[in-house]
Amino acid sequence: MGKDLIIVESPAKVKTIKKFLGNAYAVEASVGHVRDLPSKKLGVDEKDDFAPQYQIIPGKQKVVSRLKEAAASASKIYLAPDPDREGEAIAWHVAEILKDAGVPICRIQFNEITAKAVREAISHPREINEKLFLSQQARRILDRLVGYKVSPILWQKVKSGISAGRVQSVALRLVVDREKERRAFVPVEYWNFKARLAGDAPPEFEAELAKYKGKKVEIGSAEAAAEAEAAIAGQPFVVASVTEKERKKSPPPPFITSTLQQAANQRLGYSAKRTMGAAQKLYEGLELGEKGTVALITYMRTDSTRIADEARDAAREFITETLGPDYYPEKARHFKSKAGAQDAHEAIRPIDVALTPADVKLLLPKDLFTLYKLIWERFVASQMSEARFWDTAVDVAAGPGIFKAKGQRLIFPGYLKVYGQEAGDEAKSLPKLVKDQELTLLELKKEQKFTQPPPRYSEASLVRELEEKGIGRPSTYAAIISTLIDRDYARLEEKHFVPSELGETVSDLLAEHFVKIMDVGFTAGMEASLDAVAEGRADWVTLLKDFTEDFYPTLIKAGKDMAKVKAGKETDVVCELCGKPMVIRFGKAGEFLGCSGYPDCKNTKEFDRAADGAVMPRERKAEEVASVGPCPTCGKDLVVKKSRTGSRFIACTGWPDCKYTKPLSTGVACPREGCSGTLVEKSSKRGKVFYACDAYPQCDFAVWDWPINEPCPQCDSKILVRKKTRDGELISCPTKTCRYKRSVGKKDEGEGEE
């Protein structure tokens, strides 16, 4: 018989596992899922208990053939996809494909890719968890039913080609509802008073008015503010009380999927998708010089804060040896996972805590290094002693007002030594003060302010909201967020989600006609039901029957009653050419205002939304008005316009009668050898502008910054790029291995810097 065969998900894992298993085992990769529901039909027999009609995923035939060939010569097959529901489903499908090989098939799983973990898994194989697989299957069929049956209604009523998703639509509703809250928000005026004071010794300090006339401060007009100022300004400022105490601050738990995505977004500016992609590579293994291929972190899809005892022991040893015993708590730290956590895996942590970020800095790409550093620091900090502060609180009386000031001094950094001081942890010193001490008023400032609307969701806050409301699971957050952007239902403005007109329209129509599907509580309850299937407490077919009992009648009713907005969504804007109302239309290039009198009147405009939601026609920018030449199709003027994703392009002023457009050329020839293309301005769906060859897809050359037709003096690059940095604009080489750069305006080759 041949070798035992281990089948993992990704080729990267194959290399990592082969490193420490050697030639004792054959290792192959399924490269993700190998079977799924068909892409061009429902693929579910609704009359036969929702029986799925699985097929080999297009393009995976070669992978399946390779797995069958390897299985034919194996003595035993170990299925080792990722340790979650999707991994269990992959294992189930691979087992179905290979069952005719006639050799024993079992399931193994490991939370980290190390020699010890893999060998331990091989020595403790198990059967495939059918309950876990059926839970995944139920989720897949639920999503297919919603997507395949609701989307056609949206094609008919709103716009062809758009789609609905069971979980993504609820996430979209959160974004849309927040935008509506902001529009409906009425700012309330209030006045803030601050006194700059001095005691007998430095430093000066600032105190804020907290009470006025014995009540919490509520000064809501200029007149009331002037009255309060007059009542306070001439009074002595006297220390009413001084409270001093020590405060302790405990470290946060190690990362789970959601908190990793939030921290990476807030601290590194990474999207959820980018975070999970980088974490996947750290988990699967990377080349680390002489160390060879090494996996750096444990499995990154988890909602448990549990840590293995040996990992906790290793952290204790590292902390006490490198930082000292004072930095380790009296008792080892244990964190309680939130209610409903699966707890199948540990928290996200470094596999080897002794492998510090400094050890791998020069061996990893920057994005992988910064994420590893974040994970490493958070894990080590989670096992460290508390930070200790000395807090001082002072009340200062001034006539009818009570001012409050707070100071803090760091006594012992504890975990902050590693994880870094967070906002608010910096020292805020107060002078030595005693009760009844009179202070010197240096300045009394009053400032008019207004209450602010609730903030739009960032990626971090949206993930937090999804987690708190029980919508989706750790493995789905990144996909949910990417889908909102990819479907043009929302865009990111200053790193915050703004629903598009299309997204808001779809959300409103779905919320009106599919009340249950769009209900946050119902969606969270469905997650709990799927968990019950995974735990054997519920039947998956019964779950689907219960769902469709209400869903099918709702579909029929929505098909009849849903308002049709394909012709346009009404606005209060009046067409200046014919006097008819203008409507919002959803075109291939995005949303625009069009005259409801079309085709008799073909007036169109771009538009924005005011803070209160009112539609405001956008004035044409100067560069759009200036002609850049005649249209080769109709002879009318061509102008420069900006796409909804940010890139500029050339368009005919005769639109929509003439639809001639072309990308904005940089005038720089594509530098790739043998290519005769030109670099033009383009932008991604996320709004990132870049410059690519117009011969795409034959040539895929692209750079992120404006290209310059000048060769690099330090390497063989035929172009340079102009980029904006914190230090101003620079000319630099786009080749990653070349560090040539100079300030704008300098052309001396000697200006290159390392």
Side-chain angles (χ1 to χ4, degrees):
M1 293 293 287
K3 301 175 183 177
D4 288 350
L5 172 64
I6 299 174
I7 299 176
V8 295
E9 276 188 47
S10 74
K13 288 184 191 175
V14 172
K15 191 173 182 181
T16 307
I17 291 173
K18 277 186 173 180
K19 173 193 170 186
F20 43 75
L21 290 185
N23 295 320
Y25 295 83
V27 187
E28 294 287 348
S30 69
V31 195
H33 283 273
V34 291
R35 294 202 314 178
D36 196 6
L37 298 174
S39 59
K40 295 184 179 179
K41 64 177 183 177
L42 180 63
V44 176
D45 191 340
E46 297 162 275
K47 295 180 181 179
D48 185 18
D49 288 343
F50 305 98
Q53 299 161 358
Y54 292 119
Q55 64 179 33
I56 303 296
I57 296 172
K60 283 295 185 74
Q61 285 82 359
K62 286 185 178 180
V63 172
V64 170
S65 296
R66 190 178 69 248
L67 294 179
K68 285 183 175 180
E69 184 179 342
S73 59
S75 55
K76 191 174 185 178
I77 300 173
Y78 295 96
L79 301 176
D82 287 346
D84 56 15
R85 286 182 192 174
E86 289 299 318
E88 208 69 19
I90 291 171
W92 190 89
H93 285 292
V94 172
E96 284 292 298
I97 288 170
L98 302 182
K99 63 184 179 182
D100 293 337
V103 296
I105 300 177
C106 57
R107 174 80 161 108
I108 60 172
Q109 66 179 60
F110 31 82
N111 190 53
E112 59 186 55
I113 305 177
T114 61
K116 181 181 178 182
V118 173
R119 290 195 174 99
E120 182 74 14
I122 292 171
S123 64
H124 294 90
R126 60 170 174 83
E127 293 183 355
I128 292 172
N129 186 332
E130 190 171 26
K131 295 171 186 175
L132 206 58
F133 160 69
L134 291 176
S135 175
Q136 186 275 345
Q137 180 171 265
R139 180 192 295 276
R140 185 73 185 94
I141 294 173
L142 271 173
D143 291 344
R144 175 55 64 96
L145 289 172
V146 173
Y148 260 68
K149 292 184 179 289
V150 177
S151 296
I153 297 176
L154 294 178
W155 302 343
Q156 180 189 4
K157 305 290 186 177
V158 184
K159 180 185 177 183
S160 298
I162 62 176
S163 58
R166 183 180 63 86
V167 180
Q168 293 92 332
S169 296
V170 179
L172 173 62
R173 184 176 186 176
L174 293 176
V175 173
V176 169
D177 285 354
R178 177 58 59 86
E179 195 68 16
K180 289 180 178 179
E181 284 181 58
R182 289 172 57 82
R183 291 174 189 165
F185 181 82
V186 179
V188 176
E189 179 184 8
Y190 69 97
W191 287 74
N192 188 25
F193 280 76
K194 290 183 180 179
R196 188 161 61 89
L197 302 166
D200 296 332
E204 299 171 0
F205 66 99
E206 198 169 65
E208 187 168 346
L209 183 64
K211 287 185 178 181
Y212 183 66
K213 294 183 178 180
K215 297 180 181 179
K216 183 180 177 182
V217 177
E218 291 183 358
I219 301 173
S221 68
E223 293 77 12
E227 179 188 322
E229 183 179 30
I232 292 171
Q235 301 295 324
F237 280 69
V238 179
V239 176
S241 67
V242 179
T243 305
E244 295 181 311
K245 63 179 180 179
E246 184 176 322
R247 173 172 59 91
K248 296 179 180 179
K249 186 174 182 180
S250 297
F255 284 129
I256 58 176
T257 304
S258 59
T259 54
L260 175 63
Q261 291 174 358
Q262 291 168 49
N265 182 253
Q266 293 164 338
R267 291 178 173 237
L268 308 177
Y270 288 7
S271 67
K273 185 176 181 180
R274 182 181 180 186
T275 298
M276 296 309 289
Q280 183 83 35
K281 292 176 182 176
L282 293 172
Y283 165 68
E284 291 178 347
L286 296 147
E287 284 289 336
L288 294 185
E290 295 178 354
K291 295 179 183 291
T293 305
V294 178
L296 293 172
I297 65 170
T298 54
Y299 191 55
M300 64 287 161
R301 294 186 180 92
T302 177
D303 54 5
S304 171
T305 53
R306 177 174 55 81
I307 296 171
D309 290 340
E310 61 184 38
R312 188 177 288 104
D313 292 343
R316 182 190 67 240
E317 184 178 338
F318 178 85
I319 292 165
T320 54
E321 287 186 1
T322 59
L323 298 173
D326 289 344
Y327 284 89
Y328 194 78
E330 292 181 5
K331 294 182 179 179
R333 293 197 181 279
H334 296 263
F335 296 93
K336 187 177 181 180
S337 297
K338 64 182 177 68
Q342 302 297 302
D343 205 42
H345 322 298
E346 289 184 63
I348 304 168
R349 61 168 176 82
I351 288 175
D352 180 5
V353 71
L355 192 63
T356 69
D359 295 332
V360 298
K361 185 174 183 178
L362 299 179
L363 303 173
L364 293 177
K366 185 178 180 181
D367 59 336
L368 299 187
F369 165 72
T370 51
L371 191 66
Y372 178 71
K373 183 172 182 285
L374 188 67
I375 292 168
W376 186 93
E377 289 176 348
R378 176 79 166 228
F379 169 68
V380 173
S382 75
Q383 299 304 298
M384 292 176 66
S385 54
E386 302 159 318
R388 303 202 316 274
F389 298 87
W390 187 254
D391 286 351
T392 305
V394 177
D395 285 3
V396 178
I402 297 292
F403 288 76
K404 288 185 178 290
K406 291 183 179 180
Q408 72 173 23
R409 176 172 55 84
L410 183 65
I411 301 171
F412 179 69
Y415 77 92
L416 294 175
K417 179 89 170 177
V418 168
Y419 199 49
Q421 290 196 351
E422 300 169 352
D425 288 333
E426 65 276 5
K428 297 175 183 176
S429 298
L430 292 177
K432 185 67 177 175
L433 301 171
V434 295
K435 190 176 184 302
D436 298 327
Q437 177 182 351
E438 185 168 341
L439 305 172
T440 302
L441 175 64
L442 302 175
E443 182 182 13
L444 182 63
K445 297 182 290 185
K446 69 177 188 294
E447 184 180 7
Q448 182 189 35
K449 291 193 172 186
F450 293 89
T451 54
Q452 296 298 307
R456 288 169 171 149
Y457 288 109
S458 64
E459 285 210 19
S461 61
L462 184 56
V463 167
R464 183 167 58 250
E465 188 80 356
L466 293 171
E467 181 185 30
E468 288 178 356
K469 293 187 180 299
I471 301 169
R473 281 291 178 257
S475 59
T476 64
Y477 297 145
I480 290 170
I481 288 172
S482 294
T483 300
L484 295 182
I485 301 295
D486 295 341
R487 289 181 179 171
D488 297 325
Y489 287 164
R491 63 185 180 276
L492 285 172
E493 286 186 5
E494 297 179 350
K495 297 184 178 181
H496 287 79
F497 286 100
V498 181
S500 66
E501 205 66 42
L502 177 63
E504 190 166 330
T505 301
V506 168
S507 179
D508 288 348
L509 290 173
L510 291 178
E512 180 182 354
H513 296 281
F514 293 92
V515 177
K516 273 194 173 181
I517 290 177
M518 294 295 283
D519 181 71
V520 170
F522 177 79
T523 305
M526 185 59 72
E527 292 294 347
S529 298
L530 290 166
D531 289 344
V533 172
E535 294 163 10
R537 295 184 288 107
D539 175 65
W540 73 278
V541 176
T542 303
L543 182 152
L544 291 171
K545 285 181 177 178
D546 290 345
F547 172 77
T548 53
E549 185 177 350
D550 174 78
F551 178 58
Y552 287 158
T554 303
L555 274 171
I556 296 170
K557 193 172 187 303
K560 294 177 182 178
D561 299 345
M562 186 180 287
K564 192 169 185 177
V565 296
K566 256 191 170 181
K569 188 176 176 182
E570 293 183 3
T571 73
D572 295 328
V573 180
V574 176
C575 176
E576 74 275 17
L577 299 183
C578 71
K580 291 184 178 180
M582 300 197 80
V583 294
I584 297 171
R585 292 202 173 105
F586 307 114
K588 290 182 178 179
E591 305 139 357
F592 63 95
L593 283 175
C595 183
S596 59
Y598 180 85
D600 295 329
C601 179
K602 297 174 181 176
N603 187 20
T604 62
K605 292 176 177 291
E606 293 183 326
F607 70 95
D608 296 303
R609 286 273 190 184
D612 62 358
V615 175
M616 302 187 305
R618 190 183 302 165
E619 295 296 325
R620 285 187 174 180
K621 295 180 180 179
E623 66 264 25
E624 293 184 8
V625 177
S627 173
V628 292
C631 174
T633 302
C634 70
K636 291 185 178 180
D637 287 341
L638 294 175
V639 294
V640 177
K641 290 194 171 186
K642 182 173 280 190
S643 73
R644 57 187 168 78
T645 52
S647 59
R648 294 169 295 173
F649 65 99
I650 307 295
C652 180
T653 54
W655 191 90
D657 292 330
C658 179
K659 295 182 170 59
Y660 177 82
T661 62
K662 69 175 183 178
L664 181 71
S665 174
T666 65
V668 176
C670 178
R672 184 161 288 173
E673 195 69 37
C675 181
S676 58
T678 302
L679 300 185
V680 296
E681 187 165 306
K682 292 188 176 183
S683 55
S684 67
K685 286 185 177 181
R686 288 181 175 267
K688 178 72 172 175
V689 175
F690 64 99
Y691 306 90
C693 181
D694 61 4
Y696 181 84
Q698 287 75 26
C699 176
D700 61 359
F701 181 86
V703 289
W704 287 112
D705 305 291
W706 182 267
I708 297 173
N709 195 15
E710 179 186 338
C712 176
Q714 291 187 1
C715 73
D716 58 0
S717 175
K718 296 179 181 179
I719 65 167
L720 296 175
V721 294
R722 184 175 183 140
K723 62 194 304 180
K724 292 182 179 179
T725 70
R726 293 177 181 176
D727 302 321
E729 284 195 306
L730 297 175
I731 304 295
S732 65
C733 181
T735 305
K736 289 183 179 180
T737 55
C738 178
R739 296 185 178 181
Y740 175 80
K741 61 182 177 181
R742 69 169 190 261
S743 300
V744 171
K746 295 182 179 179
K747 295 198 70 172
D748 185 356
E749 290 186 8
E751 294 296 332
E753 299 174 8
E754 289 296 326

